[in-house]
Amino acid sequence: MRTIPNTETLDVEFKSDLKCYPDHDLIEEIVGMTNTIGGVLYLGVEDDGTITGVHKKHNDAVGVTALIANNTVPPISVRAEVIYEESHNILKIEIPRSRGVVATTWGKILRRRLKLDGSPEAIPMYPYEIPSRLSELGMLDYSAQPLDGATIDDLDPNQRVRLRKIIQTRQGGEKNLLTLSDDELDIALRLVTKSGESYVPTVTGMLLLGKEERIAELIPTAKATFQVLEGTAVRINEDSSKPLLELFENYETYIRAWNPERETEYGLFRIPIPEFDWSAFREGLVNAFCHRDYTMLGRVRVSIDDEGLSISNPGGFIDGVNLKNLLTVEPHGRNPALADALKRIGLAEKTGRGIDRIFEGSIVFGRPWPDYSESTSQMVKLFIQRAKADLAFAKIVSDEQNRQGKSLSIYNLMILSVLNSERRITIDRIVEVTNLSENKIRTAIELMIEQGLIEASGRGKNRTFILGAKIYKENKEAIQYVRQADIDSIRYPEMIIKLANTQNGIVTKQNVAELLKVTPNQAYSYIKKLQKEGKLELMQGGKYSKYKLVE
């Protein structure tokens, strides 16, 4: 059985070894892979996937492992093994992702990328790319570094006034910061750092308080674009290098103008529901500027079009974060000093769980979940789809939060959302859709059953869940509830008959209980019901009674 991938990606490489692939080139390929995302290199395979075998010089896995360690700085510890495929030996080398920057012993630092035709190549990693790599690995806080060429005079006094106003008016702002002098405030928020006998602005300081023309000159990567498109018509297309505090205020003004609200009745009140949740927009915007890579050319782009709202930023997910663990991974970012300053002045979520707010903003109105699927290794993109609010679901969530006197957890909201769209679901399906751990889901579900939010039927792997009776009742969907709740009573007899047909027309209480994941007494009651309907008859009595189909 063939175990070698038949395609090349960023983390898989084939190398022909018919003419003995040069050790020098092999080391450079491996350095490029470890400095990117790691991967697997197969020595003895042609570019098209044809297996031709490894050269006798490389047929020693231990020797190749030592060769790689001795020619890299710091030494790379790879896992190599000779495998037998299609009558040939192949050397499989598993390369870990490095926790720093690795070079060859002859001083070459490389990284890996895909060419236009989709094939990978190792290219030089230039000095200006090294801070980006270390920042991505969480080993360097670029935002806390002094900005070369910047002086205290490059900070705008008007932006400091804006900073104090934000602290004073925002709910999460630390009000004790207002008692500090300007110099003390700058130090407390790490907007400046000491260099010799004087203070100079950090990257964070320039991003928040810098003069626009100096930001454009000293941090040319700190650009942003706000676009509004209606069909193919461009309504707004504004590029800016403004300091972030001013930029946030401008974008808040823009989003209010292009975020229509629809009023809905809720009891005696009329409540406006916006097209895009305000908290979700704010957290998405803060995340884009907090976690973007300021060593990369590019810009934060906010776009509103007929499909929805998109927010993208240069720099992929930081090491350890991916599409599947966005909601569960421990909060950590690419620019801790910048993130900390934004939290303390009240612009960012204090807990670092802004991603929860982004998902909550869509789920509470019964809309499609935020989508990060278009993100790449070089860019993170958030997409929030335009969609009509599910008012019935929004009322369920609102009523339950009012009853409990607190907001529902993001786990509860996600489970309710999945049940609302799929009606009946298993734990395995919830795990698949939400990417949450099974233990967290089980804990949340049991609590929700006690609260009457959901109901369970069946046992073990066949256990399924539906929304609770009170939710259907509140939504005047009694018929739909009965259909869902009684589906087992319809399905179980059919399953018993099918089981009998596969066992020469015979079933027992024990195998019915095993089939339906119910107790023996419950199994017996289903069998007796089929007996009364004339579909089964007793074939053999006693402890191990057998029943047969009636022809």
Side-chain angles (χ1 to χ4, degrees):
M1 180 178 177
R2 185 184 175 96
T3 59
I4 297 175
N6 56 13
T7 58
E8 290 190 354
T9 61
L10 199 60
D11 60 347
V12 177
E13 177 67 289
F14 300 155
K15 288 298 178 186
S16 173
D17 204 29
L18 284 173
K19 298 181 180 179
C20 191
Y21 192 69
D23 292 346
H24 181 279
D25 295 347
L26 177 64
I27 299 299
E28 293 191 355
E29 286 288 343
I30 289 172
V31 166
M33 294 181 80
T34 196
N35 279 333
T36 311
I37 59 174
V40 181
L41 187 148
Y42 293 93
L43 201 56
V45 183
E46 306 301 312
D47 288 342
D48 61 1
T50 303
I51 295 174
T52 52
V54 67
H55 191 274
K56 62 181 180 180
K57 179 183 176 182
H58 296 136
N59 206 32
D60 176 13
V62 175
V64 171
T65 301
L67 172 73
I68 295 167
N70 291 334
N71 286 277
T72 51
V73 182
I76 304 174
S77 178
V78 303
R79 179 181 176 183
E81 62 175 324
V82 176
I83 58 177
Y84 189 71
E85 290 275 352
E86 299 179 10
S87 304
H88 293 285
N89 281 345
I90 302 163
L91 184 65
K92 177 184 178 182
I93 306 173
E94 296 180 21
I95 303 126
R97 185 181 190 185
S98 71
R99 298 298 307 166
V101 176
V102 177
T104 66
T105 52
W106 47 93
K108 256 187 148 176
I109 303 176
L110 300 108
R111 64 180 178 87
R112 195 162 166 82
R113 72 172 182 185
L114 292 178
K115 295 186 286 188
L116 292 177
D117 62 2
S119 61
E121 65 175 344
I123 62 172
M125 179 184 286
Y126 295 105
Y128 70 86
E129 295 176 306
I130 293 177
S132 174
R133 172 65 176 171
L134 295 175
S135 177
E136 182 182 325
L137 294 169
M139 299 180 68
L140 172 71
D141 183 0
Y142 179 73
S143 65
Q145 303 301 306
L147 185 60
D148 189 33
T151 67
I152 292 296
D153 292 337
D154 293 326
L155 301 181
D156 188 345
N158 294 326
Q159 299 302 327
R160 191 176 281 105
V161 172
R162 179 177 272 110
L163 173 67
R164 289 184 177 275
K165 183 180 177 182
I166 290 173
I167 296 172
Q168 188 172 23
T169 57
R170 297 280 180 170
Q171 186 175 1
E174 296 182 10
K175 302 300 186 283
N176 60 325
L177 292 173
L178 296 174
T179 63
L180 303 178
S181 67
D182 288 347
D183 291 343
E184 292 170 334
L185 181 62
D186 290 351
I187 295 171
L189 294 177
R190 287 193 282 178
L191 307 182
V192 297
T193 188
K194 199 158 190 179
S195 177
E197 298 298 320
S198 60
Y199 283 92
V200 296
T202 61
V203 173
T204 292
M206 284 298 293
L207 289 172
L208 295 181
L209 304 183
K211 297 175 180 177
E212 182 175 355
E213 65 276 8
R214 291 295 284 163
I215 293 175
E217 181 180 346
L218 298 175
I219 319 178
T221 56
K223 294 184 181 296
T225 298
F226 192 100
Q227 295 178 328
V228 177
L229 309 174
E230 287 185 340
T232 58
V234 179
R235 300 304 181 195
I236 295 180
N237 185 25
E238 181 182 284
D239 294 333
S240 176
S241 295
K242 294 182 184 297
L244 297 187
L245 300 183
E246 183 175 350
L247 202 62
F248 285 162
E249 288 188 0
N250 290 350
Y251 284 7
E252 286 175 5
T253 302
Y254 296 159
I255 194 69
R256 292 186 193 280
W258 294 95
N259 188 20
E261 294 181 342
R262 293 178 175 83
E263 287 194 342
T264 183
E265 292 185 2
Y266 187 81
L268 300 176
F269 304 98
R270 295 185 66 83
I271 300 175
I273 297 179
E275 189 88 26
F276 307 110
D277 181 72
W278 166 243
S279 295
F281 168 75
R282 187 183 71 178
E283 293 299 337
L285 189 66
V286 168
N287 281 353
F289 283 103
C290 264
H291 303 313
R292 72 149 293 174
D293 188 342
Y294 285 97
T295 68
M296 288 179 63
L297 287 174
R299 61 189 66 218
V300 171
R301 181 172 177 267
V302 181
S303 174
I304 299 175
D305 58 24
D306 298 336
E307 300 300 319
L309 167 69
S310 298
I311 304 176
S312 61
N313 62 268
F317 291 121
I318 197 168
D319 189 41
V321 180
N322 55 54
L323 290 174
K324 291 192 173 183
N325 66 9
L326 276 173
L327 288 161
T328 56
V329 70
E330 283 295 314
H332 62 293
R334 182 175 271 111
N335 302 295
L338 176 59
D340 182 64
L342 292 176
K343 289 175 190 175
R344 297 184 67 186
I345 66 178
L347 280 177
E349 173 66 32
K350 281 280 187 183
T351 62
R353 299 301 313 171
I355 189 72
D356 293 3
R357 296 282 179 267
I358 295 172
F359 274 77
E360 181 186 41
S362 294
I363 293 175
V364 293
F365 294 118
R367 290 171 171 151
W369 296 1
D371 182 9
Y372 283 88
S373 63
E374 293 184 40
S375 300
T376 68
S377 60
Q378 300 295 312
M379 173 195 72
V380 173
K381 182 177 180 180
L382 163 65
F383 175 67
I384 300 177
Q385 181 181 330
R386 284 187 189 273
K388 188 176 180 181
D390 184 339
L391 300 181
F393 181 78
K395 185 175 183 299
I396 291 169
V397 173
S398 179
D399 288 347
E400 187 60 27
Q401 291 183 152
N402 289 335
R403 187 185 71 79
Q404 294 188 22
K406 62 179 181 179
S407 298
L408 294 178
S409 73
I410 189 63
Y411 302 147
N412 288 3
L413 288 173
M414 294 177 80
I415 293 170
L416 284 175
S417 175
V418 174
L419 283 170
N420 186 54
S421 60
E422 300 198 13
R423 295 302 183 183
R424 178 176 288 269
I425 199 166
T426 64
I427 282 186
D428 287 345
R429 176 61 178 160
I430 298 174
V431 170
E432 178 186 348
V433 174
T434 63
N435 291 315
L436 302 176
S437 72
E438 186 173 328
N439 286 338
K440 287 182 178 178
I441 290 173
R442 287 188 184 279
T443 302
I445 280 178
E446 294 306 322
L447 181 60
M448 294 167 75
I449 290 174
E450 292 176 5
Q451 295 167 343
L453 287 172
I454 63 178
E455 294 179 7
S457 62
R459 288 171 177 267
K461 287 291 184 181
N462 287 341
R463 197 180 191 205
T464 59
F465 305 91
I466 63 172
L467 292 173
K470 71 176 185 179
I471 292 179
Y472 280 99
K473 182 178 178 181
E474 289 171 359
N475 289 335
K476 299 178 180 179
E477 294 180 342
I479 293 175
Q480 289 88 333
Y481 170 72
V482 171
R483 284 181 184 149
Q484 288 292 336
D486 287 352
I487 194 169
D488 286 340
S489 62
I490 298 170
R491 184 165 56 94
Y492 283 178
E494 294 176 354
M495 293 172 68
I496 295 170
I497 298 296
K498 187 173 181 180
L499 176 65
N501 280 323
T502 62
Q503 299 184 147
N504 299 318
I506 299 172
V507 294
T508 66
K509 181 174 65 176
Q510 287 73 22
N511 56 35
V512 168
E514 183 180 353
L515 170 71
L516 304 181
K517 304 296 183 184
V518 296
T519 65
N521 287 338
Q522 289 173 316
Y524 181 68
S525 67
Y526 287 123
I527 291 173
K528 293 299 289 184
K529 183 177 180 181
L530 288 172
Q531 275 188 281
K532 290 179 181 180
E533 294 174 357
K535 296 179 180 179
L536 287 179
E537 63 181 7
L538 181 63
M539 176 182 173
Q540 175 187 316
K543 184 177 180 180
Y544 299 103
S545 299
K546 294 182 180 180
Y547 303 85
K548 68 176 182 178
L549 288 174
V550 176
E551 295 182 3

